[in-house]
């Protein structure tokens, strides 16, 4: 088998080389089509050869000629005539110029290094002769299907139609051993167990294959496999990279969220909403088993950007991080390279610079913050009950005193200053409202403490009414929440916050920069650990002109990891900005605050009743409820800020902003695009709704193409992250549209789509190809056979663990620390190494440290997490064999496999080889392979030094044999 496989790869390589050289030939590879289609024949020629100078971007356009629109291509030229005259090639300047032999006339010009083939010239001429019909780019046309009654065979019929057109003969169905290995690896990332193989091979029922597929679709390992695919899209990592490789708080909780979502077959529309706006959903999704909130965990993908230690220019740092967020978001969900429009209109796609900065405003209005990872319905209910208890206590006291309810109507946040030297009030919490600040989490609630009764827990005696402050202990101690001001421009020298608390934090976030620390930014974060009121002052003179907001939160950061001690709390009365000396007077706190002060004075003087025995039980109930609200598990996600419309950065330079600001919006070339978002926050919910509009042509297409890519090794559109004009054309456009429409009609179910594809005849075909197929379709575009697939890095490592029967298949949890070799040195290197075998857990649970990526994973092409990689590179280089030969992990697993083997009592030599083959290749060895195994052992017996112990000798021989098995192509390929 290995010999056959080796020959297949050799022949395939030769034909690929031949095809590559032939493809550059100027000779006609095939006859011209009867009807020349603009999208599939003409636009690719124009994009590759003409759009750089005559495309959408006006900054690089020459001769004022546009060839990306019908109007531009048929317009009157400066020198007279028209580039294209529909129906008249001889009158079209384009035809004259591409055929010209004069250097100053020929197009493309010689200095561009582009040259049209004779076939391309003939296609352009025939297209113009047929009327030069123009079409919108195929990907921007809403998918539709002519198949009114789809059936079990629809996918195959659309593939067969192309095979018939190309006169290609399909290969036969693969054998059962091959099929179960293929399905198991592609659906779960793991090889099938010997028991599963025997059961499937022995099952002669008509639906044996379907039952086998369903078992793997419903396996917990399915979510692990498909979550890892998604993690490539969102550049999943658990550290920030750069100088110190700081950890990303709770990143692994996002990974577990993905695994659960794929296993539960959460509709793709819901996943999109949760990623873009999981914190803003009206209808929150909870975990069915634990009752904890799932939706907000999706937003953690925004926080997977890299992070720079103390950048000198934090505005540039913000611009780069937002650019990465736009790049990842647009590629992942829309298959478009929107970041190419950062400095100018997209050179090829109809994406304007204004579109880019419309999205920039969305991202700039989004704030990063720690969030509770296990927020549950029960906790939310407890918080509501505490708020109700407090309201009841206030009303009881008010009624007893025969007064109106303590709470007053919120006052207007509008500020007026009598003189220019007066302090600017950023926030005043001495009344009932939070003065326009955003309260995230539960700690601060939606009001201040003003009027809340302080009761002696033992007697129920009222001690006093609280004066107004924003307090994180509104519901109790050690409860998470953050309080954030509106955005403001730093135009004063100092900011002062009057606060008190225990083990808590005040932060000034400038230009959304979160990694606050010395040597440059350390003063922007202040620890609050004093229960007496104090003024905490920040000198902001170095950052005048920058935008900022104040963040107040209990607990704090230790090397950028948020921690919340059990007794932590913080209270704030006000925040002000001033220029020189701290003001002698802070602006008046308002009538409500004065009223409480008067009531407290009367209470102290015995003029108001203080005995409320019934409050004793209520106070105890509040105390018990508050215990359930404490949290110890957090992740870094996002919350909504206040709406910011960004200027355009001229030539992408953040130091040259335009005068006008671009409204936050979706891409103007797509349905619902170009309309300003009305949200007073970021607009992320509107962005999600625009992407999921039934008229959006991309969202469903992009996702079904990703699914096809993961199953067949190549998407119907090969450039899975780029559906734009520089992307590849779909090999089966009708099939792609049929799948996209089906995906929508069947509830956006990822599992249903996978099942449909895996049950096709195309998926079940053999990989063996004859010489005719190799010649007619050398890259297997038309799927006459199943493509030979190299397994991904994770599947290779996990397959080794399964073969050695060592795999720890437990689900979820914190990552296993990276195993550090002596060669893995540098800043941010952890003090301690993880275990060599990663605790035998699946590769998805191994820590992904940007500065210390696992060598085996990188060698086998797991992408470096900096952008979206929907399609991994698949290399075949000597270092891969060297890793399997020399990696101590692989050697150790070979040892364990051999140890398990020799414990099998009574097995013959042939049965031992069979035991290995079943676990490694999901099949029995051939007679030739048994003979080669015997020859291998004979050679080892001659070469290896003799051991005193016969059992040790046998173990060494089988270890060497198992190790060699891991390095066979069949082990790391699906064949």
């Amino acid at each position: 088998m290995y010999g056959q496989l080796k020959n297949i790869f050799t022949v395939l390589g030769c034909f690929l080389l031949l095809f590559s050289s032939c493809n550059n030939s100027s000779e006609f590879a095939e006859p011209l089509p009867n009807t020349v289609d603009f999208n599939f024949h003409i636009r690719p020629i124009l994009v590759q050869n003409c759009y750089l100078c005559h495309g959408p971007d006006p900054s690089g356009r020459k001769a004022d000629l546009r060839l990306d629109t019908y109007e531009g291509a048929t317009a009157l030229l400066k020198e007279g005539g028209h580039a294209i005259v529909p129906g008249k090639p001889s009158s079209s300047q384009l035809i004259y110029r591409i055929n010209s032999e004069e250097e100053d006339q020929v197009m493309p010009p010689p200095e561009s290094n582009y040259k049209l083939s004779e076939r391309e010239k003939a296609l352009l001429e025939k297209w113009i002769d047929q009327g030069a019909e123009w079409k919108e780019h195929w990907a921007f046309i809403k998918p539709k299907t002519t198949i009114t009654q789809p059936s079990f065979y629809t996918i195959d019929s659309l593939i067969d139609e192309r095979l018939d057109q190309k006169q290609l003969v399909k290969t036969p169905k693969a054998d059962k051993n091959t099929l179960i290995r293929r399905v198991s690896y592609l659906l779960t990332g793991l090889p099938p167990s010997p028991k599963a193989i025997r059961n499937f091979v022995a099952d002669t029922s008509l639906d044996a294959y379907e039952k086998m597929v369903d078992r793997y679709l419903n396996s917990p390992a399915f979510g692990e496999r498909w979550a890892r695919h998604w993690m490539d899209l969102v550049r999943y990592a658990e550290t920030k990279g750069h100088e110190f490789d700081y950890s990303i708080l709770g990143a692994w909780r996002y990974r577990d969220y993905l695994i659960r979502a794929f296993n539960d077959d959460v509709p793709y529309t819901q996943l999109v909403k949760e990623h873009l706006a999981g914190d803003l959903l009206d209808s929150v999704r909870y975990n069915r088993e634990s009752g904890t909130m799932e939706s907000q965990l999706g937003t953690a993908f925004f926080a997977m950007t890299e992070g720079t230690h103390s950048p000198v220019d934090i505005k540039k740092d913000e611009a780069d991080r937002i650019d990465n967020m736009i790049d990842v978001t647009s590629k992942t969900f829309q298959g478009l390279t929107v970041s190419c429009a950062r400095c100018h209109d997209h050179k090829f796609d109809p994406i304007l610079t204004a579109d880019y900065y419309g999205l920039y405003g969305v991202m700039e209005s989004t704030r990063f913050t720690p969030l509770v990872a296990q927020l549950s319905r029960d906790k939310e209910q407890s918080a509501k009950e505490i708020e109700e208890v407090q309201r009841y206590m206030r009303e009881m006291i008010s009624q007893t005193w025969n007064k109106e309810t303590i709470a007053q109507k919120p006052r207007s946040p509008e500020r007026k200053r009598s003189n220019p030297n007066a302090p600017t009030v950023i926030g005043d919490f001495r009344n009932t409202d939070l003065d326009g600040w955003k309260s995230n989490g539960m700690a601060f609630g939606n009001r201040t403490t003003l009027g809340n009764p302080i009761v002696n827990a033992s007697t129920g005696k009222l001690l006093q009414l609280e004066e107004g402050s924003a307090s994180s202990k509104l519901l109790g101690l050690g409860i998470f929440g953050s309080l954030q001001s509106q955005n403001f421009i730093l135009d004063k020298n100092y900011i002062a916050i009057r606060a008190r608390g225990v083990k808590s934090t005040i932060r000034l976030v400038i230009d959304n920069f979160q990694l606050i620390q010395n040597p440059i930014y350390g003063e922007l974060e202040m620890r609050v650990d004093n229960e007496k009121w104090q003024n905490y002052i920040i000198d902001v003179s170095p950052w005048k002109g920058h935008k900022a907001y104040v963040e107040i939160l209990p607990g704090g950061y230790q090397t950028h990891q948020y921690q919340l001690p059990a007794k932590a709390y913080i209270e704030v009365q006000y925040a002000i900005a001033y220029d020189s000396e701290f003001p002698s007077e802070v602006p008046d706190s308002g009538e409500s605050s004065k009223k409480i002060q008067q009531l407290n004075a009367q209470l102290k003087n015995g003029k108001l009743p203080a005995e409320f025995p019934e409050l004793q039980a209520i106070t105890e109930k509040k105390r018990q409820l508050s215990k359930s609200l404490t949290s110890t598990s957090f992740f870094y996600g996002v919350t909504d800020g206040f709406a910011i419309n960004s200027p355009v950065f001229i030539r992408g330079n953040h130091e040259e902003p335009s005068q006008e600001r671009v409204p936050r919006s979706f891409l103007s070339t797509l349905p619902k695009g170009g309309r300003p978002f009305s949200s007073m926050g970021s607009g992320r919910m509107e962005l999600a709704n625009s992407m999921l509009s039934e008229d959006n042509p991309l969202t469903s297409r992009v996702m079904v193409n990703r699914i096809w890519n993961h199953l067949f090794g190549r998407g119907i559109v090969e450039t899975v992250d780029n559906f734009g004009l520089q992307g590849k054309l779909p090999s089966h456009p009708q099939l792609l549209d049929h799948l996209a429409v089906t995906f929508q009609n069947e509830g956006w179910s990822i599992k249903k789509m996978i099942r449909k594809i895996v049950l096709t005849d195309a998926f079940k075909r053999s990989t063996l190809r004859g010489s005719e197929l190799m010649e007619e379709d050398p890259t297997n575009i038309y799927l006459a056979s199943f493509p030979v697939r190299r397994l991904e890095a994770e599947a290779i490592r996990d397959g080794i663990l399964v073969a050695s029967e060592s795999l720890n298949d437990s689900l979820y949890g914190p990552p296993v620390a990276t195993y550090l070799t002596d060669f893995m040195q540098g800043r941010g290197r952890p003090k301690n190494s993880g275990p060599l075998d990663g605790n035998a857990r699946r590769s998805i649970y191994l820590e992904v440290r940007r500065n210390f990526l696992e060598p085996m994973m990188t060698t086998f092409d797991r992408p470096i997490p900096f952008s979206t990689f929907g399609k991994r590179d698949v290399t075949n280089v000597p270092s891969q064999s060297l890793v399997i030969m020399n990696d101590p992990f692989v050697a150790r697993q070979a040892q364990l496999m051999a140890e398990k083997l020799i414990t099998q009592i009574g097995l013959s030599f042939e049965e031992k080889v069979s035991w290995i083959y079943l676990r490694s290749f999901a099949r029995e060895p051939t007679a030739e392979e048994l003979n080669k195994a015997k020859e291998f052992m004979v050679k080892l017996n001659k070469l290896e030094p003799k051991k005193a112990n016969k059992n040790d000798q046998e173990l060494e021989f089988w270890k060497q044999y198992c190790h060699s098995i891991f390095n066979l192509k069949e082990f790391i390929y699906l064949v």
Side-chain angles (χ1 to χ4, degrees), residues 797-810 837-842 889 892-900 915 966:
R797 179 184 171 276
D798 295 351
I800 291 173
L801 286 168
V802 172
S804 68
E805 296 188 342
S806 304
L807 181 69
N808 171 0
D809 61 0
S810 57
D837 68 347
N839 289 336
R841 299 201 67 194
R842 291 198 66 174
F889 161 77
R892 176 59 182 158
Q893 295 308 310
Q895 169 92 13
L896 292 173
M897 189 175 186
E899 289 174 357
K900 301 273 177 62
W915 187 93
F966 292 156

Side-chain angles (χ1 to χ4, degrees), residues 8-48:
I8 290 171
F9 278 101
T10 303
V11 173
L12 179 61
C14 292
F15 274 100
L16 283 172
L17 184 62
L18 179 62
F19 179 79
S20 175
S21 61
C22 289
N23 199 42
N24 292 328
S25 170
S26 62
E27 298 298 320
F28 286 20
E30 57 181 300
L32 296 181
N34 291 330
T35 301
V36 180
D37 182 88
F38 179 75
N39 267 325
F40 291 90
H41 302 121
I42 301 303
R43 194 193 299 274
I45 300 173
L46 299 178
V47 168
Q48 294 300 322

Side-chain angles (χ1 to χ4, degrees), residues 128-419:
I128 293 174
D129 185 59
Q130 291 179 342
E133 181 188 6
W134 221 275
K135 293 181 181 178
E136 190 175 13
H137 179 52
W138 69 268
F140 300 146
I141 301 171
K142 185 177 177 180
K144 58 184 179 180
T145 179
T146 56
I147 299 167
T148 55
Q149 293 183 321
S151 71
F152 188 82
Y153 304 101
T154 299
I155 296 175
D156 280 315
S157 66
L158 291 170
I159 293 173
D160 290 350
E161 186 179 319
R162 297 284 297 199
L163 291 172
D164 291 342
Q165 289 173 0
K166 299 294 179 180
Q167 298 182 329
L168 299 174
V169 179
K170 295 177 285 189
T171 60
K173 182 178 177 181
D175 61 65
K176 277 192 161 186
N177 294 84
T178 298
L179 286 177
I180 191 171
R181 187 170 188 262
R182 181 182 299 170
V183 171
S184 181
Y185 262 120
L186 293 181
L187 266 57
T188 70
L190 298 173
S193 69
K195 181 181 178 181
I197 297 166
R198 285 191 291 267
N199 289 344
F200 178 58
V201 171
D203 189 348
T204 58
S205 61
L206 293 176
D207 62 346
Y209 180 78
E210 289 184 48
K211 289 187 293 186
M212 181 266 290
V213 168
D214 288 339
R215 279 196 299 274
Y216 287 119
L217 277 172
N218 294 316
S219 164
F222 171 85
E224 294 170 319
R225 165 72 169 177
W226 288 80
R228 183 57 252 188
H229 289 324
W230 189 265
M231 287 154 70
D232 283 1
L233 301 179
V234 298
R235 37 77 172 112
Y236 177 85
E238 281 144 346
T239 61
K240 286 284 188 182
H242 290 275
E243 297 91 337
F244 295 105
D245 210 20
Y246 292 118
S247 295
I248 299 172
L249 179 68
W252 60 273
R253 294 189 181 278
Y254 170 77
R255 174 248 289 154
D256 287 356
Y257 152 86
L258 289 177
I259 295 171
R260 291 190 297 269
F262 280 105
N263 276 334
D264 292 343
D265 199 22
V266 173
Y268 183 62
T269 47
Q270 181 70 16
L271 277 182
V272 172
K273 287 179 181 178
E274 290 179 356
H275 274 72
L276 297 176
D279 56 313
L280 303 173
L281 293 176
D282 293 329
S283 178
V284 176
R285 183 171 66 88
Y286 293 90
N287 186 287
R288 288 177 296 183
E289 295 178 3
S290 66
T292 56
M293 184 189 294
E294 294 279 9
S295 305
Q296 195 159 295
L297 283 160
T299 67
F301 95 98
F302 282 120
M304 301 285 172
T305 57
E306 296 177 71
T308 310
H309 167 79
S310 292
V312 174
D313 187 343
I314 53 175
K315 183 62 180 173
K316 180 181 186 302
D317 182 77
E318 177 189 37
D320 290 343
R321 280 185 284 107
I322 290 178
D323 181 69
N324 181 255
M325 291 161 66
I326 292 172
D327 184 45
V328 168
T329 302
S330 62
K331 285 178 180 175
T332 297
F333 299 108
Q334 300 295 278
L336 293 175
T337 55
V338 175
S339 278
C340 292
R342 178 179 182 176
C343 306
H344 47 67
D345 289 348
H346 202 293
K347 293 286 186 183
F348 302 96
D349 297 340
I351 300 172
L352 308 176
T353 306
D355 291 332
Y356 176 88
Y357 287 97
L359 292 177
Y360 192 100
V362 172
M363 304 304 174
E364 190 178 5
S365 307
T366 299
R367 292 178 176 178
F368 294 91
T369 183
L371 297 166
V372 176
Q374 294 176 312
L375 185 62
S376 65
R377 286 192 183 99
D378 291 342
K379 286 187 176 183
E380 291 179 324
Q381 183 59 37
S382 294
K384 289 178 182 176
E385 289 183 30
I386 293 175
E387 290 173 353
E388 182 61 25
V389 164
Q390 290 175 333
R391 185 192 65 78
Y392 175 74
M393 293 168 71
R394 290 195 304 270
E395 288 185 355
M396 177 189 294
I397 295 167
S398 176
Q399 290 169 7
T400 301
W401 289 350
N402 196 24
K403 300 287 185 181
E404 293 183 358
T405 305
I406 295 298
Q408 301 290 321
K409 207 173 183 181
R411 59 198 161 76
S412 168
E414 183 179 346
R415 307 292 182 195
K416 291 184 179 180
R417 289 184 290 167
S418 59
N419 66 76

Side-chain angles (χ1 to χ4, degrees), residues 54 62-65 75-83 93-94 96-97 104-105 107:
H54 304 295
K62 296 182 178 179
D64 201 26
L65 170 62
L76 182 66
L77 298 170
K78 287 182 179 179
E79 63 271 21
H82 304 265
Q93 284 293 308
L94 183 143
Y96 165 72
R97 298 291 287 270
D104 62 341
Q105 293 290 312
M107 287 291 164

Side-chain angles (χ1 to χ4, degrees), residues 518-580:
N518 286 321
I520 302 177
Y521 305 102
E523 293 179 357
L524 301 181
E525 182 174 279
M526 295 181 293
R527 304 293 181 187
V528 178
D529 202 5
N530 191 328
E531 296 195 75
K532 293 183 179 179
W533 289 108
Q534 281 182 217
N535 294 319
Y536 293 84
I537 299 172
I538 307 173
D539 180 357
V540 295
S541 56
W543 294 282
K544 276 190 170 182
H546 288 257
K547 74 172 185 295
Y549 66 88
V550 176
E551 181 178 45
I552 312 292
L553 69 167
Y557 292 89
Q558 185 67 36
T559 59
H560 306 297
Q561 295 297 291
Y562 176 74
Q563 297 171 352
L564 181 57
K567 301 296 183 182
Y569 79 91
I570 186 169
E571 295 184 306
V572 180
Q573 285 187 330
Y574 54 77
I576 60 172
Y578 62 95
D579 263 330
S580 52

